[in-house]
């Protein structure tokens, strides 16, 4: 049986491996974590995830600290040790793990990573972090450009569009843990009844919410603890994302298209709000479509689910136009960085114009599938104007049969949610009607 000490080393070694996959191999954290945590206990798996998320949130500051304590960068076969030092330094500076536990378990993790000969190097660097912590933290505080913990290109784009004060709030929100939001299935329960069930289960929640379907928990919990989860009474979905089904406002008997639908949260919510519509859910990723099927089955809902490319509807569309279309477009995901901090380091500046062109092409294609008098709701989880307001402005110049309908409570034509707004993720909505 593994000792607590070796178990702690295993979680730290796994975190270093996952970070190496993200930072050196360009893999997403959601891909990397399952491959390195399968043999860990639930507690150690949670610690590994905490370490990875924390390192990716504060990567520039951690790199700064490590660079001051290393004679030269760790590259090639030793690059995994840089990831391990990130894990150890994060514990000492941000998690405030006890010095002994953080250092000893991280040093032992070097052995598990087959780098026994470098145990002394790992120990020496972390001991210096421990001894010089006050000076290192003072040095960090003196470098303004290290405070936001974002890549420079992204920080510049956010500042240029939102201004310094609002940008600072966005950076701060992005570097915090996102809250857990629930979406109750209002075909099965109502808010008051489900809040009572949460209280009975001793799960804390915030009483207020802008949507009747949305409940914010005080602390995240495993979904299996949620009353009625297995029976389809409740799902996990962020507040901002829940607005999609409300804004689309499907009616009974209408033919609805949810393009780019995986993993199916919005598909399910549309049907929960209007089970009598005819919903077609399309996505090009067959693997992710499995989650659409799983969600619909758990929630006892039905949609026609199609593996198809939104850019090439002739391969899957039967020619009957749709009354309403939800286009949750592929995007930079810069609005959900607090949930996926690896986005900061995987996304590149040159990705944005490529994504904007793809969005433009899909928008034009989806518009051709919409009935005259129909509605298209454009959505992204981005906060960048090139993918959002500028995208819609360009679309309106290309299509004189398009009319933009206000969706924001403020009365503005479109709705740009910022990370942390009302506790929700960063999101964008624009609603377009097709003139008859």
């Amino acid at each position: 049986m593994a000792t607590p000490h070796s178990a702690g080393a295993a979680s730290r070694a796994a975190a270093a491996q996952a970070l190496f996959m993200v930072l050196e191999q360009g893999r997403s954290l959601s891909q990397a974590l399952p491959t390195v945590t399968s043999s860990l206990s639930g507690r150690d798996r949670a610690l590994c995830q905490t370490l990875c998320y924390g390192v990716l949130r504060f990567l520039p500051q951690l790199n700064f600290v490590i660079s001051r304590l290393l004679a030269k960068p760790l590259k090639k076969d030793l690059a995994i040790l840089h990831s391990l030092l990130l894990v150890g330094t994060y514990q000492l500076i941000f998690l405030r793990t006890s010095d002994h536990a953080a250092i000893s378990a991280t040093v032992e993790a070097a052995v598990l990573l087959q780098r026994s000969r470098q145990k002394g190097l790992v120990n020496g660097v972390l001991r210096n972090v421990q001894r010089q912590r006050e000076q290192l933290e003072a040095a960090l505080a003196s470098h303004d450009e290290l405070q936001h913990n974002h890549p420079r290109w992204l920080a510049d784009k956010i500042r240029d569009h939102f201004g310094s004060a609002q940008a600072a709030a966005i950076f701060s929100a992005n570097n915090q843990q996102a809250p857990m939001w629930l979406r109750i299935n209002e075909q099965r329960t109502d808010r008051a009844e489900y809040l009572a069930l949460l209280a009975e289960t001793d799960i804390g929640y915030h009483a207020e919410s802008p949507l009747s379907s949305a409940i914010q928990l005080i602390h995240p919990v495993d979904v299996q603890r949620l009353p009625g989860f297995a029976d389809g009474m409740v799902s996990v979905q962020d507040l901002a994302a829940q607005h999609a089904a409300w804004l689309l406002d499907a009616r009974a008997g209408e033919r609805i298209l949810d393009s780019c639908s995986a993993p199916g949260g919005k598909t399910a919510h549309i049907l929960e709000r209007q089970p009598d519509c005819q919903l077609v859910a399309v996505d090009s990723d067959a693997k992710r479509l499995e989650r659409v099927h799983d969600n619909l089955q758990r929630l006892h809902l039905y949609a026609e689910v199609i593996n198809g490319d939104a850019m090439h509807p002739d391969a899957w569309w039967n020619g009957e136009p749709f009354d309403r279309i939800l286009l949750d477009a592929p995007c930079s995901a810069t609005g959900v960085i607090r949930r996926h901090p690896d986005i900061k380091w995987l996304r590149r500046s040159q990705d944005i114009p490529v994504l904007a062109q793809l969005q433009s092409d899909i928008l034009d294609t989806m518009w051709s599938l919409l009935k005259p008098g129909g509605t298209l709701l454009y959505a992204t989880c981005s906060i960048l104007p090139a993918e959002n307001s500028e995208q819609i402005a360009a679309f309106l110049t290309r299509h004189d049969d398009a009319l933009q309908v206000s969706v924001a409570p403020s009365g503005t034509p479109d709705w740009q949610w910022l990370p942390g707004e009302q506790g929700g993720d960063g999101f964008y909505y624009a609603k377009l009607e097709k003139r008859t």
Side-chain angles (χ1 to χ4, degrees), residues 22-223:
V22 173
L23 300 173
E24 300 294 331
Q25 299 175 344
R27 297 177 66 178
S28 72
L29 188 58
S30 61
Q31 292 174 323
L33 277 173
T35 67
V36 300
T37 59
S38 58
S39 62
L40 298 180
S41 68
R43 182 176 180 180
D44 291 314
R45 193 178 299 122
L47 175 57
C48 175
Q49 180 171 307
T50 295
L51 294 170
C52 289
Y53 274 66
V55 167
L56 292 170
R57 286 188 176 115
F58 301 105
L59 183 63
Q61 293 186 2
L62 295 168
N63 276 330
F64 173 84
V65 169
I66 293 169
S67 69
R68 290 174 69 98
L69 301 175
L70 282 175
K72 59 181 180 179
L74 298 169
K75 296 182 178 179
K76 298 184 179 179
D77 290 347
L78 297 182
I80 186 68
L81 291 176
H82 183 84
S83 293
L84 184 60
L85 288 174
L86 290 170
V87 169
T89 305
Y90 173 70
Q91 294 171 78
L92 292 169
I93 291 199
F94 290 98
L95 268 191
R96 298 297 187 182
T97 307
S98 75
D99 292 348
H100 173 73
I103 295 172
S104 62
T106 305
V107 169
E108 188 179 344
V111 179
L112 298 179
L113 295 170
Q114 300 182 331
R115 297 295 186 275
S116 299
R117 294 175 62 184
Q118 285 77 37
K119 283 175 61 177
L121 182 149
V122 174
N123 183 68
V125 171
L126 296 182
R127 290 291 177 194
N128 279 329
V129 174
Q130 175 193 10
R131 286 191 287 263
Q132 301 175 36
R133 185 154 43 206
E134 288 187 10
Q135 301 97 299
L136 291 167
E137 289 176 345
L140 279 173
S142 69
H143 286 72
D144 289 342
E145 276 305 300
L146 288 173
Q147 302 314 305
H148 55 66
N149 286 291
H150 285 61
R152 181 172 297 176
W153 72 266
L154 181 56
D156 288 346
K157 281 184 180 293
I158 292 172
R159 284 199 195 100
D160 289 347
H161 183 66
F162 294 102
S164 296
Q166 201 163 43
I170 292 170
F171 299 147
S172 176
N174 281 350
N175 291 328
Q176 297 173 22
Q177 181 179 355
M180 185 173 182
W181 282 93
L182 308 182
R183 185 192 77 236
I184 59 172
N185 182 350
E186 294 184 287
Q187 296 292 324
R188 304 281 304 279
T189 187
D190 60 32
R191 183 178 183 80
E193 180 183 37
Y194 198 79
L195 290 179
L197 291 174
L198 289 176
E200 289 174 11
T201 320
D202 200 26
I203 296 176
Y205 58 84
H206 295 281
E208 301 300 319
S209 172
L211 292 179
S212 60
S213 60
I215 298 171
Q216 182 184 355
L217 299 187
I218 294 174
H219 301 292
V221 301
D222 187 283
V223 293

